[in-house]
Amino acid sequence: MRILFLGDIVGRVGREAVISRLPGLRNQLSLDLVVVNGENASHGFGLSPAIARDLFEAGADVITLGNHSWDRRDMIGHIDAEPRIIRPANYPPGTPGQGSVVVELVNGHRALVVSVMGRQFMDAMDDPFRAVSDILSRHRLGVTVQAIVVDVHAEATSEKWAMGHVCDGRVSLVIGTHTHTPTADHRIFPKGTAFQTDAGMCGDYDSVIGMGKDAAIARFVRKMPGDRLQPAEGEASIAGMMVETDDVTGLARRMAPVRLGGHLAQTLPDF
């Protein structure tokens, strides 16, 4: 199976870049599963039902969220009606939506996608490791599902690394989101799970993690509340990771970054 994961989509330019490029990428890379993190897609804060629809129409199979899951109040009423949008599984019991979904793919395969949020330097949440363990206890890679992707929306690199090691041999890909900066540590762990600390963002990198520079810099320099942060509006880069899995085990065989457009060095997988 060939899987593409795209990091946090930030604002108009980020979502327009993904929507315009994703149909071609699905064909060019022969993708079976596309997962995108959409929690910053609506003006940098949250996801709207209309934007989610556009991302699905462009070729996304699952949209994951994070700490901005409820910034758009219309998502609260929509998420139960659209199971392909998942919020972190370690939100407290009773929170709308689900933290995982099994999707049926065109090729007849089934894929499990899981979202969890870290607890280091983040809002208080239930244990993400227990949440992942509970979900994986109900699914078996290579048997009940042909691929498993875990989006770890977290601030601390150490917490993401720990999740990768905990999941090694049990899932196809553990990939971090939230910091909006693509890391160069992608690798396949000893038991066959692909890992990257952060996929980066789909947005304007001539910015401060996707937001306009002036207002963001002023907050650091003055240490006072300032203008509301707005997404940067320059040319966007698409950033993410592609993984190819073994058809029998569901574990990773190879992986490579995807970076297109904007200010980052361009790269596409050559497999």
Side-chain angles (χ1 to χ4, degrees):
M1 188 180 297
R2 295 166 75 90
I3 302 167
L4 176 64
F5 185 97
L6 295 180
D8 306 50
I9 299 170
V10 181
R12 178 185 62 81
V13 297
R15 67 177 183 263
E16 288 182 354
V18 171
I19 289 168
S20 66
R21 298 296 292 268
L22 187 51
L25 285 173
R26 285 209 73 131
N27 181 63
Q28 180 181 357
L29 301 177
S30 301
L31 299 172
D32 300 301
L33 172 68
V34 175
V35 182
V36 302
N37 185 290
E39 74 139 14
N40 300 118
S42 180
H43 306 289
F45 299 93
L47 174 71
S48 72
I51 292 172
R53 180 196 63 226
D54 291 343
L55 292 170
F56 286 132
E57 289 179 354
D61 295 298
V62 178
I63 302 173
T64 61
L65 299 174
N67 57 301
H68 292 292
S69 293
W70 316 121
D71 285 8
R72 286 287 307 240
R73 295 187 64 84
D74 47 0
M75 184 52 60
I76 298 174
H78 180 73
I79 195 168
D80 283 322
E82 180 45 89
R84 295 176 297 169
I85 303 173
I86 58 174
R87 45 76 174 165
N90 55 323
Y91 270 110
T95 303
Q98 300 296 322
S100 65
V101 65
V102 174
V103 289
E104 306 280 346
L105 305 177
V106 174
N107 60 8
H109 289 167
R110 305 172 77 237
L112 168 67
V113 182
V114 181
S115 170
V116 290
M117 193 156 76
R119 295 190 292 183
Q120 302 300 310
F121 315 115
M122 304 281 283
D123 292 339
M125 297 287 286
D126 291 347
D127 184 354
F129 295 92
R130 181 179 295 117
V132 168
S133 180
D134 288 345
I135 293 168
L136 294 183
S137 71
R138 301 192 294 271
H139 302 276
R140 186 176 173 189
L141 182 63
V143 180
T144 61
V145 291
Q146 283 66 56
I148 302 176
V149 176
V150 179
D151 174 355
V152 186
H153 199 77
E155 191 79 45
T157 56
S158 56
E159 195 170 17
K160 296 178 187 181
W161 279 33
M163 183 65 75
H165 289 298
V166 166
C167 292
D168 188 19
R170 305 168 69 194
V171 311
S172 309
L173 169 66
V174 173
I175 191 157
T177 55
H178 179 65
T179 64
H180 295 199
T181 304
T183 57
D185 63 339
H186 63 278
R187 62 202 186 279
I188 297 175
F189 281 155
K191 296 179 183 178
T193 293
F195 174 82
Q196 185 185 19
T197 299
D198 203 282
M201 71 171 180
C202 298
D204 179 8
Y205 280 78
D206 185 22
S207 66
V208 175
I209 62 169
M211 296 296 167
K213 292 180 285 189
D214 291 343
I217 291 170
R219 292 191 176 200
F220 287 110
V221 173
R222 299 173 186 166
K223 303 303 294 182
M224 294 178 61
D227 295 336
R228 177 179 170 84
L229 296 177
Q230 299 288 341
E233 292 287 321
E235 182 183 359
S237 300
I238 290 175
M241 182 60 58
M242 179 177 165
V243 176
E244 184 180 84
T245 63
D246 184 271
D247 286 340
V248 176
T249 66
L251 296 170
R253 296 174 54 189
R254 46 190 177 176
M255 64 188 304
V258 173
R259 294 191 299 270
L260 293 171
H263 300 275
L264 300 185
Q266 311 291 285
T267 184
L268 276 176
D270 58 2
F271 56 83

